[in-house]
Amino acid sequence: MKKLAILMIFILLCPLALANEVYVLDHKSKTSPNIVISKIEITDDSTIVSMTYHATTSTEAGLHRPDSPLGYVILDVNSKRVYSMIGAEGMSIRPQTTAIEAGQSLTFKVIFERINTNHFHVIEGRPQHRDSSETFWDFTNIKLQKRD
């Protein structure tokens, strides 16, 4: 009977331990007014950043490869640790591009290593590798706060 009670408690509490942390945001880019981070989800093994781009003109967009010096990274504000991009969904990886028509919005996900911080920047590439003819989508001073 005691073993059954312990098993029942484990079964009831186990989903709580495995629950993902989800943060709904409206964090605007500091470098482009047409893109926002709408959600951040922290899973057991990754961090998923959902972004929404609102096109004012027709354009072709693509993310830099994760292994590129221009690929997205998450930078921990306090420790300066860098978390690498590991993939994306809903947006092409260069050299392929995604067509976005004027007036349309595109929501896509950038997937990173699992973060262990609640204050960070999401930066597209390292500044020393940037070409001034290109617009980069940077988000600074993101602070995740749990809601009660």
Side-chain angles (χ1 to χ4, degrees):
M1 185 68 165
K2 187 175 182 181
K3 288 182 182 180
L4 181 59
I6 293 171
L7 180 61
M8 290 301 293
I9 290 170
F10 177 77
I11 290 171
L12 291 173
L13 293 178
C14 191
L16 296 175
L18 298 176
N20 296 342
E21 296 176 47
V22 177
Y23 302 88
V24 177
L25 307 170
D26 184 25
H27 195 92
K28 294 176 178 35
S29 169
K30 298 298 181 194
T31 54
S32 178
N34 300 337
I35 188 163
V36 298
I37 290 178
S38 52
K39 182 171 72 171
I40 296 177
E41 182 177 358
I42 303 172
T43 70
D44 288 339
D45 58 357
S46 65
T47 301
I48 304 164
V49 178
S50 296
M51 300 180 190
T52 301
Y53 178 73
H54 306 284
T56 55
T57 60
S58 295
T59 189
E60 296 277 329
L63 299 172
H64 292 278
R65 291 183 336 271
D67 61 347
S68 164
L70 294 174
Y72 267 107
V73 295
I74 290 178
L75 176 63
D76 183 324
V77 169
N78 299 313
S79 73
K80 306 300 183 217
R81 178 174 173 188
V82 175
Y83 296 88
S84 298
M85 175 183 165
I86 55 177
E89 295 176 10
M91 173 72 80
S92 297
I93 301 289
R94 292 180 185 201
Q96 285 77 33
T97 58
T98 300
I100 310 167
E101 297 299 321
Q104 287 187 332
S105 294
L106 176 70
T107 298
F108 60 97
K109 297 176 181 180
V110 183
I111 305 162
F112 297 91
E113 299 171 289
R114 186 185 194 287
I115 61 173
N116 189 23
T117 182
N118 64 349
H119 188 198
F120 54 91
H121 308 306
V122 177
I123 305 294
E124 188 175 19
R126 302 300 185 144
Q128 66 268 27
H129 297 288
R130 292 181 173 187
D131 178 346
S132 61
S133 67
E134 199 171 348
T135 300
F136 291 88
W137 297 336
D138 294 343
F139 304 85
T140 57
N141 253 351
I142 299 168
K143 294 179 183 177
L144 301 180
Q145 297 177 353
K146 292 191 179 194
R147 296 184 182 179
D148 297 329

